[in-house]
Amino acid sequence: MRLSVITAFLAGAVLPIAAIILMGAGGTVKSPTGTAPDRYAYYPGTEDLDKDEIRLIACGTGLPAARRDQAATCFLAELGNGDKFLFDVGTGSMANVAALMIPYDFLDKVFLTHLHTDHWGDLATLWAGGWTAGRTKPLRVWGPKGATPDMGTAYAIEKFLEAYNWDATTRNFVLSPEPGKISVTEFDYKAVNAVVYEENGVTIRSLPAVHAGDGPVSFILEYAGLKVVIGGDTFPNKWFIEHAANADLAIHETFLTPPDLVRLYGQSPGQAIAVGTQIHTSPQAFGKVMSTIKPRLAVGYHFFNEQATHDNILRGVLQTYAGPLSLAVDNMVWNITKEKITERMIVSPSQAWAVSGPNKPPKPPARGSVPDPISDFIKAGRWQPAEQAQAAMVEKFKKEYGLQ
Ligand SMILES: [Zn+2]
Ligand SMILES: [Zn+2]
């Protein structure tokens, strides 16, 4: 990475003395015609990663209800060895992922913490969008089994593909069906700190979570002697306390305060206290988790982050935790090495196109090998003046590209 300096300062007026905020480098502009030094932004695709470095990006930090400013849960881990892993693909998050302009072939590995829509609602976008925009191979999904087969990840993906049968069948006629496939690796949600992935110097482990039902997990990613914990939805649990200890960066949910759930989310007081303190993690409980496991940087997420909610959550967290803390918003990015953790915001285009990767897309199926999904009845409805109107343009294009 390009940053050479990290500024760690104490915002003593607002935060207690030990709360350190890590910021990107600034610096001096040396000449009126020269370039400015790195500020506080990461421009996707412009920085190499060091071999022993992790870049972690918050692509979704919000809630099940849609908000343009914040998608639902999604974290992308990019590793110095070239591996990339998506942890959850919550509703709306793929717009942020796409703005990173990473070829879709590099976004083929997805780890799901659980099957609430705010954690996998945008799988459809990754699946079909990536298929049409250059992915050349099947998606690979890892996720927990359920207490019964119909509550597990394999069931969900099987039914997902059945539900999108029309989508796949119509695409299969013009695109290779290969990138439209999804392979699933299920693992036991009760297994504690069990390895669910180990390849290429990367180990990913899972921990059970205490959430709305059996099945949810959290993940621990280990690479180059670094440990990043990606907490899914959970009430604070003993497995997280034991195995997330001493993480370099630990993500854990911290939910909206019960008064804000009533005031802003329209919940009854009964619902708010149950959701905010039993099914999810309150700010005070989040702080207790972090002051116990003592990560180099604690990251809280899973709330609509605006001034009032942020301040209310911060006040709660500070009652029980005084260490390094970030309350995440979408497009926050952390560069993690043994020496330092740098936090910046991503500056990316709203109108990003997909970027081609090194692999050529597989050929579409040979004509006649896949049933034509359009009947003669529908074909006969084609309005001929439209064909005539575009005929010259079509002819010119075909000539230019040597098409029949
Ligand atoms: Zn959930
Ligand atoms: Zn959630």
Side-chain angles (χ1 to χ4, degrees):
M1 59 167 288
R2 290 190 303 180
L3 289 185
S4 54
V5 187
I6 182 160
T7 313
F9 68 88
L10 301 175
V14 182
L15 302 174
I17 197 107
I20 298 167
I21 299 179
L22 304 169
M23 304 288 286
T28 311
V29 177
K30 299 219 169 64
S31 136
T33 55
T35 55
D38 287 316
R39 297 289 176 172
Y40 310 104
Y42 166 59
Y43 306 96
T46 63
E47 296 177 14
D48 287 337
L49 279 175
D50 287 341
K51 182 88 182 69
D52 296 337
E53 184 173 11
I54 297 174
R55 185 192 292 125
L56 182 71
I57 299 175
C59 298
T61 55
L63 291 164
R67 164 175 277 205
R68 199 168 57 200
D69 192 47
Q70 253 183 306
T73 307
C74 176
F75 292 94
L76 171 67
E78 300 185 272
L79 276 45
N81 69 357
D83 281 339
K84 299 183 198 299
F85 302 92
L86 282 162
F87 291 95
D88 287 343
V89 276
T91 318
S93 61
M94 278 307 299
N96 286 327
V97 175
L100 301 170
M101 297 168 288
I102 295 167
Y104 278 98
D105 263 359
F106 301 149
L107 297 171
D108 65 329
K109 294 186 278 299
V110 181
F111 286 73
L112 298 179
T113 62
H114 67 300
L115 296 164
H116 275 151
T117 56
D118 54 317
H119 296 259
W120 77 302
D122 243 12
L123 184 69
T125 315
L126 173 62
W127 170 69
W131 189 2
T132 61
R135 189 177 62 245
T136 66
K137 51 194 175 183
L139 275 180
R140 301 162 70 189
V141 172
W142 286 257
K145 289 180 179 164
T148 52
D150 63 334
M151 297 292 271
T153 305
Y155 175 91
I157 298 296
E158 183 191 325
K159 298 299 174 188
F160 168 98
L161 290 172
E162 282 180 23
Y164 284 110
N165 179 54
W166 194 91
D167 185 304
T169 301
T170 53
R171 286 186 211 286
N172 281 342
F173 189 62
V174 286
L175 296 170
S176 163
E178 201 56 22
K181 294 174 182 166
I182 305 178
S183 75
V184 185
T185 306
E186 263 194 350
F187 53 84
D188 180 7
Y189 68 91
K190 286 182 177 165
V192 179
N193 208 33
V195 173
V196 296
Y197 179 96
E198 194 164 33
E199 257 178 65
N200 208 12
V202 185
T203 304
I204 299 174
R205 301 168 187 276
S206 83
L207 304 172
V210 180
H211 184 38
D214 269 36
V217 298
S218 293
F219 291 110
I220 297 175
L221 168 77
E222 289 165 305
Y223 172 72
L226 296 167
K227 177 165 154 180
V228 172
V229 182
I230 295 110
D233 290 4
T234 188
F235 183 80
N237 69 73
K238 61 181 184 182
W239 305 291
F240 195 96
I241 295 297
E242 185 179 350
H243 297 285
N246 303 313
D248 292 281
L249 187 147
I251 300 169
H252 193 290
E253 64 146 295
T254 175
F255 218 64
L256 289 160
T257 61
D260 279 350
L261 283 170
V262 172
R263 191 170 65 90
L264 299 167
Y265 219 39
Q267 296 196 343
S268 70
Q271 269 180 318
I273 202 72
V275 170
T277 69
Q278 301 302 314
I279 293 173
H280 289 287
T281 294
S282 67
Q284 289 84 354
F286 169 91
K288 185 66 184 171
V289 168
M290 291 305 174
S291 58
T292 307
I293 68 167
K294 295 182 173 59
R296 284 170 67 201
L297 178 65
V299 176
Y301 81 105
H302 214 320
F303 62 95
F304 281 156
N305 193 334
E306 61 203 36
Q307 189 73 50
T309 58
H310 175 281
D311 291 356
N312 289 337
I313 286 171
L314 182 62
R315 269 190 279 272
V317 172
L318 293 178
Q319 290 170 25
T320 50
Y321 177 63
L325 172 69
S326 295
L327 294 177
V329 292
D330 288 12
N331 294 308
M332 220 173 230
V333 54
W334 299 274
N335 286 76
I336 307 158
T337 64
K338 285 268 188 215
E339 291 73 40
K340 64 194 174 194
I341 298 175
T342 308
E343 177 179 302
R344 291 175 291 173
M345 290 300 296
I346 288 172
V347 176
S348 58
S350 295
Q351 298 174 334
W353 288 91
V355 173
S356 299
N359 304 321
K360 278 222 166 86
K363 284 210 167 69
R367 206 171 274 183
S369 68
V370 174
D372 187 341
I374 306 184
S375 67
D376 290 343
F377 172 82
I378 292 298
K379 280 179 183 162
R382 297 178 72 86
W383 188 50
Q384 287 313 310
E387 293 283 18
Q388 287 150 23
Q390 67 187 14
M393 178 272 283
V394 169
E395 195 50 41
K396 184 167 174 279
F397 182 88
K398 282 184 167 176
K399 214 170 159 185
E400 206 174 315
Y401 286 93
L403 303 174
Q404 297 299 321

